[in-house]
Amino acid sequence: MNERANPADLSVDGPLYAARRKIYPRSVSGTFRNVKWALMAACLPVYYLLPFVRWDRGPLAPSQAVLVDFPNRRFYFFFIEIWPQEVYYFTGLLIIAAMALFLMNAVGGRIWCGYLCPQTVWTDLFYAVERWIEGDRRERIMKDKAGFSLRRARELVAKHGIWLIIAWWTGGAWVLYFADAPTLVKELTTFQAPVAAYLWIGILTATTYTLAGFMREQVCTYMCPWPRIQAALTDEWALNVTYRHDRGEPRTSAKKAEELRAKGLPAGDCVDCAQCVAVCPTGIDIRNGAQLECIMCGLCIDACDDVMAKLGRPTGLIAYDNEVNIQRRIAGKSNIYRFVRPRTVIYAAIIAVVGAIMLYTLATRSFLDISVLHDRNPVAVKLTDGSVRNAYTVRILNKQNHYRTVALDVDGLPNLKVQVVGSDAATGGRPHIAVGPDQTAELRVLVTMSPGLGHDKSTGLTFRITDTDVRESAVAADHFILP
Ligand code: SF4
Ligand code: SF4
């Protein structure tokens, strides 16, 4: 990958810092621009409106479909409720996300960067506002050169005002994922919301405004690690936005090209109009080859296709392609595409396996759980009648949104007496414990062994809780220790 192909770049021996060269991307229409508009139209409403989507979980649970409930340490996603003990689901999601990114990269280059990354989507949105108020590329360049005027001041106030509203809306939507959205909106508007909510909205407003309004392509070029990782992960078969130099070179003007062709001399299809550069949101020239700055948004394809159509030449001078096919065409061979390769198979297999495991564990997950912690000091107490008592901290998790009563059994030694401290059922029989909806009950459990029954220093015990109404049970293992 050529990191120095952009003339604006530092030379190898040059300074380590270069001031940003302001970029004025021209508007363009075409297939890839339409795909970007469609994805933006699909993704932004989801982001802004999802916190208001309701999901009925019963009267004792939050009714927000997607909610990160920090105070109660829960994450809700429609019918899924994740407890702190189940954070491994997030590990699974992160693995799937990483593999999906790798797979996209192996198939079609930086699809994520060009179409789906929030930095790209919001920068695109901010550019749309800029064009709407200040005009297209040429007008914006002229206005910046012309200097300050009252009309210019009005335009700048309007542009920055709209940018700030979008940024504020973006930050505001983010905090709504962390509390009941309608309630928080009411509190925010009446200045009764927690200070943290205002603080986070302020931080996210500032970052959105700065990243999408000012830093733009610099985030992709200098701050994001993905271009470097992507460059190390790609291979010769990945389809990247490519200038087909086999077809475009030697580049010359449209008129000269016609003259050369009329004489039977070679002439490339590139007419050196620089429209591909004019529309590029990172300001690079794709004809210089693969570059770190290229987010592969495909807008140069649209611009060049437009030029080719006007010239009556075939479209696709810039296209999703690779160097293998360029070399094959130069050698007079036809294109070949290899989507099924060891790396794509491995990425897809990992996604499928991790996804299947997650689905299986979700489908079969227990709504009842138990954990046991043996007392460390003392580990055992010998009572006056010769019996031995061990104490445990037992946590019972009820993941259902209604009250449940569970029976506690401890197996492993004969005639054990199980006592739950503070429980009326403590003195014999089988203790029954009531656990509130979506709650954890923490108990202190005393297990007593009659004199002379155990001889091993440590004997394994099984703690079992059973909800007899639905016949659901959970077990945990620990030990009974003699003094
Ligand atoms: S838009 Fe197409 S024809 Fe024009 S300079 Fe770029 S590659 Fe060449
Ligand atoms: S070179 Fe083309 S694909 Fe790459 S960022 Fe510029 S416009 Fe997008």
Side-chain angles (χ1 to χ4, degrees):
M1 181 166 285
N2 176 12
E3 295 194 23
R4 300 289 183 212
N6 185 350
D9 284 347
L10 310 173
S11 73
V12 172
D13 300 321
L16 292 175
Y17 174 77
R20 181 183 180 233
R21 180 174 54 97
K22 190 170 178 187
I23 294 164
Y24 301 86
R26 178 175 75 72
S27 65
V28 65
S29 54
T31 309
F32 295 97
R33 180 63 268 182
N34 290 342
V35 169
K36 280 168 73 69
W37 285 137
L39 287 171
M40 188 194 285
C43 294
L44 288 182
V46 170
Y47 172 73
Y48 289 119
L49 300 177
L50 193 53
F52 296 98
V53 175
R54 303 287 96 186
W55 191 264
D56 185 11
R57 299 187 182 89
L60 300 168
S63 60
Q64 187 156 314
V66 180
L67 177 67
V68 183
D69 186 355
F70 273 126
N72 296 305
R73 300 190 296 162
R74 301 282 185 282
F75 172 65
Y76 298 95
F77 186 82
F78 294 91
F79 62 92
I80 300 171
E81 178 185 339
I82 307 287
W83 282 53
Q85 295 81 356
E86 298 170 321
V87 281
Y88 51 81
Y89 284 116
F90 292 108
T91 311
L93 276 180
L94 285 176
I95 294 171
I96 289 177
M99 289 303 126
L101 207 55
F102 293 178
L103 183 60
M104 277 191 233
N105 178 50
V107 172
R110 291 168 64 179
I111 294 173
W112 168 260
C113 303
Y115 301 90
L116 295 165
C117 172
Q119 173 63 20
T120 301
V121 173
W122 264 274
T123 300
D124 236 14
L125 183 63
F126 275 45
Y127 266 132
V129 172
E130 191 169 86
R131 281 193 202 102
W132 179 52
I133 293 174
E134 296 183 348
D136 212 345
R137 173 182 161 85
R138 186 187 295 268
E139 288 169 272
R140 297 205 308 277
I141 293 173
M142 281 167 48
K143 283 175 181 173
D144 272 358
K145 277 191 184 150
F148 204 67
S149 67
L150 196 60
R151 186 172 167 218
R152 184 80 184 121
R154 276 204 301 268
E155 281 182 353
L156 288 174
V157 167
K159 179 177 84 172
H160 288 279
I162 297 175
W163 279 3
L164 278 168
I165 289 170
I166 295 172
W168 168 76
W169 201 268
T170 304
W174 180 255
V175 299
L176 297 182
Y177 285 92
F178 296 85
D180 181 64
T183 311
L184 185 57
V185 167
K186 208 182 287 173
E187 288 173 354
L188 284 167
T189 50
T190 52
F191 300 101
Q192 289 171 336
V195 176
Y198 295 105
L199 205 63
W200 275 110
I201 292 174
I203 291 169
L204 292 164
T205 303
T207 48
T208 308
Y209 177 65
T210 309
L211 296 180
F214 299 94
M215 296 185 67
R216 297 180 164 180
E217 79 290 343
Q218 294 183 100
V219 176
C220 315
T221 306
Y222 300 116
M223 291 170 66
C224 179
W226 179 234
R228 279 96 187 154
I229 300 168
Q230 184 267 344
L233 285 173
T234 195
D235 67 0
E236 71 274 28
W237 294 104
L239 293 178
N240 291 315
V241 175
T242 305
Y243 168 65
R244 287 168 162 165
H245 56 83
D246 57 313
R247 201 189 121 185
E249 302 296 325
R251 66 185 80 160
T252 184
S253 68
K255 192 172 166 211
K256 188 100 182 280
E258 286 305 318
E259 287 169 11
L260 288 170
R261 287 189 195 109
K263 290 178 192 167
L265 294 170
D269 274 342
C270 177
V271 293
D272 213 6
C273 62
Q275 290 308 304
C276 48
V277 183
V279 300
C280 178
T282 66
I284 60 165
D285 187 343
I286 191 66
R287 295 173 299 169
N288 291 332
Q291 289 152 74
L292 185 91
E293 296 87 343
C294 178
I295 57 169
M296 297 197 194
C297 61
L299 296 183
C300 52
I301 301 179
D302 284 341
C304 190
D305 280 355
D306 200 27
V307 173
M308 291 297 113
K310 283 179 185 147
L311 294 172
R313 305 291 299 168
T315 58
L317 176 54
I318 303 174
Y320 275 92
D321 205 349
N322 55 39
E323 194 59 32
V324 172
N325 280 329
I326 290 179
Q327 294 309 324
R328 285 182 65 85
R329 288 196 297 271
I330 290 170
K333 297 175 184 167
S334 58
N335 291 338
I336 50 172
Y337 298 99
R338 286 214 179 132
F339 295 111
V340 181
R341 318 192 289 281
R343 69 176 62 205
T344 55
V345 172
I346 290 170
Y347 297 150
I350 294 174
I351 292 171
V353 169
V354 176
I357 291 171
M358 285 178 66
L359 278 178
Y360 176 77
T361 51
L362 269 176
T364 57
R365 72 201 289 238
S366 166
F367 290 95
L368 198 60
D369 211 348
I370 179 172
S371 65
V372 179
L373 189 67
H374 196 295
D375 269 13
R376 282 172 184 261
N377 193 15
V379 289
V381 175
K382 191 158 191 176
L383 304 180
T384 47
D385 63 352
S387 58
V388 177
R389 174 185 287 169
N390 281 199
Y392 305 83
T393 301
V394 174
R395 281 201 184 85
I396 298 172
L397 281 67
N398 171 17
K399 298 180 188 173
Q400 295 282 24
N401 289 319
H402 54 78
Y403 279 94
R404 299 173 87 177
T405 300
V406 295
L408 174 66
D409 296 291
V410 181
D411 304 320
L413 282 167
N415 299 326
L416 287 175
K417 192 169 110 187
V418 181
Q419 188 178 356
V420 176
V421 175
S423 164
D424 291 342
T427 50
R430 203 182 183 203
H432 283 73
I433 302 111
V435 192
D438 202 32
Q439 283 179 13
T440 303
E442 187 171 303
L443 320 168
R444 186 145 174 77
V445 176
L446 307 176
V447 178
T448 308
M449 186 184 72
S450 304
L453 280 180
H455 304 289
D456 293 338
K457 177 80 179 151
S458 172
T459 307
L461 292 184
T462 302
F463 289 72
R464 175 178 286 101
I465 47 170
T466 310
D467 181 342
T468 43
D469 288 347
V470 291
R471 294 190 180 182
E472 188 180 8
S473 62
V475 293
D478 212 299
H479 288 83
F480 190 90
I481 297 170
L482 294 181

